[in-house]
Amino acid sequence: MSSTIRVGIAGYGNLGRGVQQAIKQNPDMELVAVFTRRDPEELAKVTGVPTARLSDAADYIDQIDVMILCGGSATDLPEQTPELVKLFNTVDSFDTHAKIPEFYEKVNAAALEGGKVGVISTGWDPGLFSMNRLLMQAVLPEGVDYTFWGTGVSQGHSDAIRRVPGVKAGVQYTVPVQEVIERIRSGETPSLTTREKHRRDCFVVAEEGADQEAIRSTIVNMPDYFADYDTTVTFISEAELAAEHSGMPHGGFVIRSAVTGSGSKQIAEFGLKLDSNPEFTASVLIAYARAAIRLSREGASGAKSVFDIPLGYLSPKSGEELRRALL
Amino acid sequence: MSSTIRVGIAGYGNLGRGVQQAIKQNPDMELVAVFTRRDPEELAKVTGVPTARLSDAADYIDQIDVMILCGGSATDLPEQTPELVKLFNTVDSFDTHAKIPEFYEKVNAAALEGGKVGVISTGWDPGLFSMNRLLMQAVLPEGVDYTFWGTGVSQGHSDAIRRVPGVKAGVQYTVPVQEVIERIRSGETPSLTTREKHRRDCFVVAEEGADQEAIRSTIVNMPDYFADYDTTVTFISEAELAAEHSGMPHGGFVIRSAVTGSGSKQIAEFGLKLDSNPEFTASVLIAYARAAIRLSREGASGAKSVFDIPLGYLSPKSGEELRRALL
């Protein structure tokens, strides 16, 4: 890579902070500015780097090679990626699986209009897990694959707990059912219900005097979120919640169990065990930011997914170095 | 893909047979002919398809879209790939890691001369394992990674056993040390000697009256092959060897243990458990044959490795289908 890659961060929640930290681990990257919808002067005290209004991003066109979008998939990214990719090469972690085709089309049109590259839906799922699903299916066409998530915190389910009357605070862990994973690893290809794949463990701080049994019952019977799962509810103190449940671990597995030839069993598995979900997602975004800038320098434009980008583009090393050291 | 991909197989050992079987699992592929240095008429009785002399391959230029090279890395591929890639798009599994840079240069020059694409060094190591090493290092720059092989049959080590005086037949399994893998999975990053990573288990049929203790001692003390490992030697009957040790299982793991942010541990792992090593390698070759033809149809030429090819090119599905179903 000829020169340092100049990065902007749009949005400064857990993911934005993770990107800021990840840039420090990558000497070919340099953080130019953080963009926010909050008060930039106030936020600058936290970021420690130039911090500007997101609406002023256009002023930074000549200073930023790639903008890493760290907003949420529900409302931020559907609006921000198509806008910003007209001005900058972008990378995002849009993760609403069902809406990816529509998102791709919008980002692609805007990126082509701006002559920029927009890498969409990176991270680990969508992202590294998607890549492994594709790879394993392409190599092993006759098989079944399974994706398990966890053990990890689900924000959506934690929010659902916190909306239950009498609940002061709480966190929900998605837990893959280990016995089932072992069956698949040993060659079985079971058809699994939702309940058989994952368990949901809730740690709840109840308000003083609240009816714990009523809370438990409301949670475990909540449609969509918990009713289809085996759910445990454990009541803990606020101190315990802070001490033992403030991390954001996650992870999971993609396993494909297939046959070749006259029935040879072939099993491929990719797994992640993450202490910090946002820091890992941020690290993936950084690697794809490198790819975005390289594609752009080659003259590419439009929306790209992890399926469209050669792995060599993720590395700061040259093709020659990679073949010598890693192939 | 607009039309069926017409495939030739050069070399008909375990790998070539595996490719023939794998083509049957991929409806977008069609086997046109097998090429051999043996007597084509004799071999045709085994292949069941048109079988021709390797030296006559040039006659098939208009009938074959991609030639899958199934010879060995020691002497076949260094000669055959540069010759055949002048005439055909090729895919091979050249696996002498130290000689890959030199091989790449030769194949690249020949492929450019012929205007063809030569995908080199696919399979699982080099191949899928290399891809995972690159991906994990690019995403997690501060870490250590480990590659473990097995449990699986090593041809080189099995050959070494069979050269020992008094040995009639034998097979060697490379076995990863499970305790060490568990330590790494739980977050440790130990420095490991050769002996600590893999064990070597030998199953030997001795000639009648041979000194078993002498055989054992010769094997376990053999430099390069066994002396640096904990090696077990088990004497078995010929019947037992045939019944229980005729398969070609293999597999292994690539694990990267890294930190992000202010010390969050992040562990990524890719693993394979293969009943048939050659059938799996063949399946990878097929997926890269699809990529080779697609690159060629786009106008590309030259040598390519697994690092240079977008994952989407391995699949018969369109970009739109892949985004909808797998991202």
Side-chain angles (χ1 to χ4, degrees), chain B:
Chain B
M1 210 67 52
S2 52
S3 65
T4 304
I5 298 168
R6 300 169 304 167
V7 180
I9 294 175
Y12 199 72
N14 289 326
L15 186 57
R17 282 193 297 277
V19 169
Q20 182 175 24
Q21 291 177 298
I23 287 171
K24 293 179 190 151
Q25 294 186 307
N26 289 275
D28 60 337
M29 304 256 165
E30 170 197 358
L31 176 56
V32 172
V34 168
F35 297 88
T36 181
R37 286 171 307 190
R38 294 183 260 173
D39 175 359
E41 281 182 40
E42 275 304 305
L43 189 62
K45 296 173 193 164
V46 184
T47 65
V49 297
T51 302
R53 257 177 240 290
L54 187 53
S55 52
D56 293 337
D59 300 343
Y60 291 76
I61 287 184
D62 296 332
Q63 296 167 55
I64 286 175
D65 296 316
V66 57
M67 185 73 88
I68 302 185
L69 279 66
C70 299
S73 296
T75 56
D76 299 335
L77 296 175
E79 186 186 307
Q80 292 171 4
T81 307
E83 278 308 307
L84 289 168
V85 81
K86 289 177 193 163
L87 308 171
F88 302 97
N89 299 303
T90 64
V91 181
D92 70 51
S93 62
F94 182 79
D95 68 358
T96 312
H97 290 263
K99 293 188 176 166
I100 285 175
E102 178 194 341
F103 184 71
Y104 172 88
E105 295 301 337
K106 273 190 194 148
V107 176
N108 191 44
L112 290 173
E113 188 187 321
K116 301 292 179 186
V117 170
V119 179
I120 66 158
S121 300
T122 66
W124 57 275
D125 198 356
L128 306 196
F129 275 21
S130 323
M131 293 159 74
N132 276 281
R133 285 189 286 262
L134 189 164
L135 178 61
M136 292 173 190
Q137 288 189 17
V139 169
L140 296 168
E142 272 183 61
V144 187
D145 54 41
Y146 300 90
T147 301
F148 291 90
W149 296 276
T151 298
V153 174
S154 161
Q155 291 305 336
H157 289 79
S158 298
D159 289 345
I161 291 175
R162 291 189 283 257
R163 288 192 297 264
V164 171
V167 170
K168 196 166 179 186
V171 63
Q172 191 263 191
Y173 295 93
T174 306
V175 183
V177 177
Q178 200 58 39
E179 302 73 38
V180 161
I181 295 177
E182 293 307 329
R183 282 171 58 198
I184 295 166
R185 283 180 180 153
S186 70
E188 290 184 51
T189 52
S191 293
L192 298 171
T193 63
T194 298
R195 190 179 298 275
E196 288 169 316
K197 288 185 71 187
H198 296 93
R199 204 178 71 221
R200 298 202 176 275
D201 290 352
C202 306
F203 294 86
V204 175
V205 181
E207 279 167 5
E208 229 183 285
D211 179 346
Q212 296 196 350
E213 185 44 36
I215 292 173
R216 201 198 64 80
S217 171
T218 305
I219 292 174
V220 298
N221 295 308
M222 197 185 296
D224 300 333
Y225 286 89
F226 295 103
D228 297 335
Y229 297 85
D230 288 336
T231 301
T232 68
V233 178
T234 307
F235 289 94
I236 59 175
S237 69
E238 248 180 318
E240 222 176 322
L241 186 78
E244 286 168 36
H245 301 282
S246 60
M248 277 171 289
H250 220 311
F253 312 87
V254 177
I255 309 177
R256 187 161 177 87
S257 180
V259 291
T260 60
S262 23
S264 308
K265 194 74 170 168
Q266 315 276 27
I267 300 175
E269 175 171 344
F270 179 78
L272 294 171
K273 202 168 135 192
L274 310 174
D275 269 5
S276 168
N277 182 0
E279 285 174 18
F280 186 80
T281 300
S283 299
V284 179
L285 288 173
I286 287 289
Y288 277 96
R290 186 178 289 123
I293 204 66
R294 187 154 156 196
L295 285 164
S296 175
R297 285 174 182 167
E298 289 179 358
S301 62
K304 308 284 173 191
S305 82
V306 294
F307 298 158
D308 304 317
I309 299 173
L311 291 174
Y313 282 37
L314 306 179
S315 172
K317 294 183 174 144
S318 72
E320 197 274 329
E321 283 178 285
L322 291 174
R323 283 189 294 276
R324 188 163 31 78
L326 295 180
L327 195 60

Side-chain angles (χ1 to χ4, degrees), chain A residues 129 146-150 176-177 180-181 184 192 197-198 251-253 255:
Chain A
F129 275 21
Y146 300 89
T147 300
F148 291 91
W149 297 275
V177 176
V180 162
I181 295 177
I184 295 166
L192 298 171
K197 289 185 70 187
H198 295 94
F253 312 87
I255 309 177

